[in-house]
Amino acid sequence: MAKETTLGDLLRSQGVSRRAFLQFCTTTATMMALPAAVIPSMARALEQARRPSVIWLSFQECTGCTEALLRSHAPSIESLIFDFISLDYHHTLQAASGDAAEKAREQAMHEHAGDYLLLVDGSIPTLKGTSTIAGIDNLEMLKEGAAGAAAILAVGTCAAYGGLPKAAPNPTGARSVEELITDKPIVNIPGCPPIPLAITGVIAHYLTMGALPEVDHLKRPLAFYGENVHDRCYRRPFYDRGFFAETFDDEGARKGWCLYKLGCKAPETYNACATIKWNQGVSFPIQSGHGCIGCSEPNFWDKGGIYESVPMAQFGSGPKIAVAGAVGVVAGAGAALLARSKKHKKEAELHADE
């Protein structure tokens, strides 16, 4: 029987040097916040791995997530597709179309049943006949694709939470992947669109570690969504000092003051925008002069106007924000002490009854 070609064999046949290969492993480990000690074992595992089959399903979406993927640089889309994975189905990127495209999807699902990685972008309409591909309802195609998948990546806010199509009044009955598929491992990679490295980084982690990365309570990879945008923002010192831009063209805006009063949602948004940034680290929305719209959070479209910050009505100006924060700390400490006191009192009563 012929020896099955591994990823290491493929890379060597294409002239990829050992140095370049280890550089890729190092970059991946750094990007996923893994210790340097795992790099040798990561390299060994990756060399012996097979190129996994990847099926990408697009439903109610705008192609923004694919556009983001095309702009990834570590790994690049070219190396990802041609060196590390076998992208067997993707409406926008594949050469085949029509019946040939659907046959490619069916063949990939059949030949790699139980092993392929399913990527989904766009929300899924549950109102029958709202959206079809080759005459197949989106919901039916999702369930068919999920049945044989080893794991699922919900790419973009629409797939992760329902996104804009699910916004009120939700005429198509749009739902997220995890609302419809409950028996498969799922990682959400939200954003409108997501940071490119968040997409390729999770795929690279799956390839090298043989498992999905650690996630938070919303199933987002902690390596990319573990920190608050506000806490990593270079404008944070102005927020702490109460210096806010009042309009987009005033002196504060020109000096780079905090955009909180102009609707910036960074204080309640978790993403790596302020650290990884976009276009190979060139910039991100806040650096370009526009507040964060909180697109990586659930139901961001229904949380109010883009230029209206949710907490603003409660706290108002900078000094009031500082005072409210201090009061909140004191109140929180008092509540904790009261709770502990009640707990100890209850425990004493129970011991007395014994």
Side-chain angles (χ1 to χ4, degrees):
M1 189 167 113
K3 176 181 177 289
E4 187 170 21
T5 302
T6 65
L7 186 53
D9 295 331
L10 178 65
L11 294 177
R12 280 188 289 272
S13 70
Q14 294 183 353
V16 177
S17 69
R18 179 70 179 171
R19 178 188 291 272
F21 176 66
L22 289 175
Q23 271 186 331
F24 168 76
C25 293
T26 302
T27 301
T28 302
T30 303
M31 190 166 50
M32 300 304 293
L34 298 172
V38 308
I39 295 173
S41 57
M42 177 187 294
R44 286 193 296 271
L46 189 55
E47 278 188 311
Q48 299 304 314
R50 294 177 300 152
R51 291 173 71 207
S53 171
V54 173
I55 297 174
W56 181 304
L57 301 179
S58 298
F59 298 129
Q60 288 190 133
E61 44 80 30
C62 66
T63 316
C65 297
T66 294
E67 291 291 341
L69 177 67
L70 291 173
R71 284 155 181 75
S72 175
H73 63 281
S76 69
I77 183 62
E78 293 86 358
S79 64
L80 183 72
I81 292 177
F82 296 116
D83 296 340
F84 301 112
I85 67 170
S86 175
L87 187 60
D88 294 325
Y89 182 82
H90 188 300
H91 282 169
T92 307
L93 302 181
Q94 68 191 42
S97 62
D99 290 341
E102 296 313 306
K103 286 179 181 177
R105 177 178 62 87
E106 294 167 1
Q107 182 177 348
M109 289 192 299
H110 175 73
E111 292 182 357
H112 304 285
D115 294 325
Y116 61 82
L117 196 60
L118 183 68
L119 273 63
V120 180
D121 77 305
S123 63
I124 301 91
T126 56
L127 183 64
K128 192 169 180 61
T130 301
S131 176
T132 64
I133 299 170
I136 305 171
D137 250 29
N138 288 175
L139 179 57
E140 182 183 344
M141 183 173 285
L142 171 67
K143 289 181 176 179
E144 183 182 9
I152 302 174
L153 305 186
V155 180
T157 296
C158 291
Y161 311 132
L164 177 56
K166 191 182 178 182
N170 191 5
T172 66
R175 306 277 292 278
S176 67
V177 174
E178 66 176 327
E179 288 180 290
L180 300 169
I181 305 298
T182 58
D183 60 347
K184 294 288 179 177
I186 296 175
V187 171
N188 289 326
I189 309 176
C192 195
I195 292 175
L197 292 186
I199 305 172
T200 55
V202 172
I203 296 174
H205 185 282
Y206 184 78
L207 286 174
T208 56
M209 306 302 290
L212 295 172
E214 185 180 0
V215 297
D216 66 7
H217 67 292
L218 293 175
K219 298 182 180 178
R220 300 177 296 195
L222 285 172
F224 300 103
Y225 301 89
E227 294 185 328
N228 188 273
V229 175
H230 182 60
D231 291 339
R232 287 292 187 174
C233 181
Y234 74 99
R235 296 180 188 245
R236 175 64 189 267
F238 292 114
Y239 173 91
D240 293 336
R241 293 163 61 191
F243 291 173
F244 301 97
E246 300 286 342
T247 66
F248 285 109
D249 59 354
D250 67 5
E251 183 183 2
R254 288 191 289 273
K255 290 181 176 180
W257 289 1
C258 181
L259 301 172
Y260 177 85
K261 295 180 72 173
L262 295 176
C264 184
K265 306 295 191 300
E268 58 182 17
T269 303
Y270 288 80
N271 209 331
C273 303
T275 50
I276 296 178
K277 302 184 181 181
W278 297 78
N279 298 320
Q280 300 187 36
V282 172
S283 184
F284 72 112
I286 294 174
Q287 187 173 336
S288 299
H290 194 287
C292 167
I293 64 173
C295 70
S296 58
E297 298 300 312
N299 306 313
F300 84 97
W301 195 262
D302 287 330
K303 285 185 176 179
I306 289 177
Y307 302 109
E308 176 186 350
S309 186
V310 176
M312 186 182 291
Q314 302 172 31
F315 301 137
S317 66
K320 288 183 180 179
I321 292 171
V323 171
V327 170
V329 170
V330 174
L337 288 171
L338 180 60
R340 282 197 291 271
S341 174
K342 288 181 177 180
K343 178 183 177 184
H344 293 323
K345 183 178 179 182
K346 188 65 176 177
E347 288 175 346
E349 291 174 354
L350 290 173
H351 288 312
D353 291 339
E354 293 174 356

